[in-house]
Amino acid sequence: MDISRKISDGISIIMIKGNMSADAIEHTRKEIEAIAAVDGIELVLDLKEVEFIDSAGIGAIVYMVKRCRRSGGSVKIANVQGQVRDVFRMAGLDKALEIYPSMDSALESYPEHKRDMVTGHMDGHIEKGLPLS
Amino acid sequence: MMKRENILIVEDDPHFMKLLEYNLGKHYQVTKAVNGVQALELLEKIVPDLIISDIMMPEMDGYTLKETLRTKTGTDAMPFMFITAMGTSNDRQKGFALGIDDYLVKPVERETLLTRVRQILDRAKIYKQSFFEDLKTDYVRQDCGGKILTCNGFNLYFRILPADVASGDYVEVFTCMDGASIVLMGDIAGKGLKAKYFSSTYWAYMKTVFHVYLKNGGSLADGLIQLNELLCDDPSLEDIFTTLICLKLGKDSSQIVSVSAGHLPVLWWSASEKTVNLLEARGPLLGLDEEAVFPETETPIGPDDRLIITSDGVIEATNMDGTLYGMERLQESVIRNSSLAPEALTQALLDDVSKFRCLTPAGDDVTVMVISRF
């Protein structure tokens, strides 16, 4: 599983590629924790290239959502499809998380003033702390 | 094959590290770190049975390492031994004051090393077994004691096969004041000691809500709302989540009321229609959304119908090729074995998973429960 990120209009886009399985999560745990550790972070998780997720993957997403919400930030999720969508539905996550059909719609859901507010703050933390490829 | 105990050696001298690795590696699995910082990073991923550390090391010395571990839940009671060149009485006292289990001064004879390590591991094993036995006795029923449980006209049988000494899966059955039986099955996700410690905290919440509220006639849906709010309010639980399914088997009723918090769908074998229906979760997993609601579902159970409830260890079981057992195989297995009584059906489903997995070890607890009418 690879994690990469970019910033669009001050919102951090986290792109995940590969299976979100127990082994993969174990290997990327530090990166996931580093992303969630940025106080007040506003982010979109792009799951377009995730074909498989298990309970460990769900655990990683739940961790990010809870950690970000607690620090005043938020997590939105884009491009949930196939097996991932089925597992989300089974776990009731389709009702508990903010899920959008595309990256554009997820980004547009952030108010414009919020995007401006976040830009500088997040860049500083994320560049410094994240060993993301 | 019995799992070998894991020893984390923290030592900056490559020659002494090699010596320790040579002597201990014959008997134990060895993990290595060159200083306290690296050891702490490794401890994010592994749970060793013993830590052997030098004291004088660059970046973080042994005292600081032990002090740091002592302040963190999950590592505070890890067996710990110093092997060091610092041999004064003050050095030893400082070490023991930090709560270490043993202190050896270099050079160390091979026999002394092996004996002292074995002693610590044996002591820890006795403590660990007793701790987890208590945990199991207090909170988790591992099976029905080999007997079918009868609750208000229903037969119920279940088995939990833990992947580790303490299971994250749990089942509980109890009776309310109005005579209805409540059946709970849940899964505490998360690995390592933290998840195990968490299970006792979680059970305290469960007891508070279910054994007080539900026993006195509260609804399943309201019970889950209360439990969910408690879990959302506890910041120490942010990297752990739990799923839960609750069933109410009422008196003089063929209906089963169920409510689910992110748990896998219940499989309902309808004998009249010869089909397996999936009763999907209507509420999210616990501790995520403090405003979550958990709608109740009523399912009419016919005389030869079966309800099958499992944990994710069943459908996430993998074989040697890395292929998942999956929900479809489970449904097929239910159809093949649907005529069996709850006890035999439970065993047949577990056997099918085990046969599929072949030699691949279980990565998660496996729980199967079957309910039928009598």
Side-chain angles (χ1 to χ4, degrees), chain B residues 52-255:
Chain B
I52 296 178
S53 177
D54 189 12
I55 292 181
M56 288 182 294
M57 292 178 291
E59 292 194 55
M60 182 187 285
D61 65 24
Y63 289 137
T64 313
L65 169 64
K66 177 58 187 156
E67 182 65 51
T68 308
L69 295 177
R70 203 162 67 144
T71 58
K72 291 167 77 175
T73 306
T75 59
D76 52 349
M78 268 181 192
F80 195 103
M81 172 198 266
F82 277 132
I83 300 184
T84 172
M86 296 166 65
T88 69
S89 164
N90 278 346
D91 295 330
R92 284 171 186 274
Q93 277 176 17
K94 192 172 172 185
F96 281 111
L98 288 169
I100 63 165
D101 296 272
D102 210 341
Y103 193 110
L104 295 178
V105 178
K106 295 174 185 173
V108 181
E109 286 179 15
R110 182 177 168 278
E111 285 309 314
T112 306
L113 171 72
L114 292 176
T115 306
R116 304 285 270 272
V117 164
R118 194 63 255 159
Q119 281 173 349
I120 296 177
L121 289 172
D122 285 346
R123 273 204 307 271
K125 196 183 275 179
I126 291 167
Y127 169 77
K128 206 156 123 182
Q129 273 170 354
S130 137
F131 173 77
F132 288 131
E133 280 305 318
D134 284 351
L135 203 64
K136 281 193 279 190
T137 310
D138 284 347
Y139 305 113
V140 180
R141 299 175 62 150
Q142 297 289 324
D143 56 37
C144 318
K147 292 177 187 167
I148 295 264
L149 301 177
T150 55
C151 315
N152 292 335
F154 291 93
N155 285 321
L156 185 153
Y157 190 85
F158 69 90
R159 281 194 71 194
I160 300 175
L161 305 180
D164 203 344
V165 64
S167 172
D169 288 0
Y170 58 88
V171 169
E172 187 162 12
V173 182
F174 61 87
T175 308
C176 300
M177 301 288 273
D178 64 359
S181 298
I182 302 290
V183 180
L184 308 174
M185 182 192 289
D187 183 1
I188 299 169
K191 296 202 181 297
L193 281 177
K194 192 171 178 183
K196 287 171 188 167
Y197 283 124
F198 168 67
S199 63
S200 56
T201 310
Y202 176 72
W203 271 95
Y205 286 134
M206 289 280 289
K207 296 274 181 195
T208 309
V209 172
F210 288 112
H211 284 245
V212 177
Y213 185 76
L214 290 187
K215 266 190 175 177
N216 289 305
S219 73
L220 294 182
D222 288 346
L224 269 190
I225 287 173
Q226 291 200 14
L227 178 62
N228 182 54
E229 283 173 358
L230 283 170
L231 295 173
C232 285
D233 282 346
D234 190 334
S236 68
L237 310 179
E238 68 186 8
D239 58 348
I240 292 169
F241 71 90
T242 62
T243 66
L244 179 67
I245 184 154
C246 313
L247 307 174
K248 189 170 188 175
L249 317 179
K251 277 184 97 176
D252 310 318
S253 173
S254 61
Q255 301 268 342

Side-chain angles (χ1 to χ4, degrees), chain A residues 44-45 47 61 75-80 88 97-100 106:
Chain A
V44 179
L45 277 184
L47 303 187
I61 291 176
V75 176
K76 305 194 181 198
I77 298 172
N79 297 316
V80 179
F88 269 44
L97 300 179
E98 289 186 72
I99 298 172
Y100 295 87

Side-chain angles (χ1 to χ4, degrees), chain A residues 5-132:
Chain A
R5 63 106 193 165
K6 65 180 179 184
I7 294 174
S8 172
D9 278 347
I11 305 299
S12 198
I13 299 174
I14 308 297
M15 289 162 292
I16 299 178
K17 189 176 180 181
N19 290 344
M20 293 186 75
S21 60
D23 285 349
I25 296 298
E26 195 57 42
H27 284 105
T28 51
R29 197 168 123 186
K30 285 210 169 296
E31 290 170 69
I32 292 166
E33 285 175 355
I35 293 166
V38 180
D39 282 347
I41 190 169
E42 308 276 1
L43 60 88
V44 179
L45 277 184
D46 185 355
L47 303 187
K48 189 177 177 181
E49 297 196 59
V50 177
E51 290 181 358
F52 173 80
I53 192 166
D54 66 10
S55 53
I58 293 293
I61 291 176
V62 168
Y63 166 75
M64 290 179 91
V65 171
K66 288 171 76 173
R67 176 68 186 78
C68 291
R69 281 180 184 171
R70 201 173 285 282
S71 72
S74 69
V75 176
K76 305 194 181 198
I77 298 172
N79 297 316
V80 179
Q81 51 202 337
Q83 185 264 358
V84 181
R85 187 183 53 223
D86 295 343
V87 172
F88 269 44
R89 198 184 63 245
M90 275 200 273
L93 293 179
D94 52 340
K95 298 181 191 77
L97 300 179
E98 289 186 72
I99 298 172
Y100 295 87
S102 67
M103 180 52 66
D104 285 346
S105 56
L107 287 172
E108 279 165 16
S109 71
Y110 278 108
E112 216 157 299
H113 72 277
K114 202 171 227 181
R115 293 184 219 164
D116 296 340
M117 197 171 69
V118 167
T119 310
H121 163 75
M122 191 174 57
D123 285 355
H125 282 81
I126 212 155
E127 293 294 353
K128 193 175 157 190
L130 274 182
L132 296 180

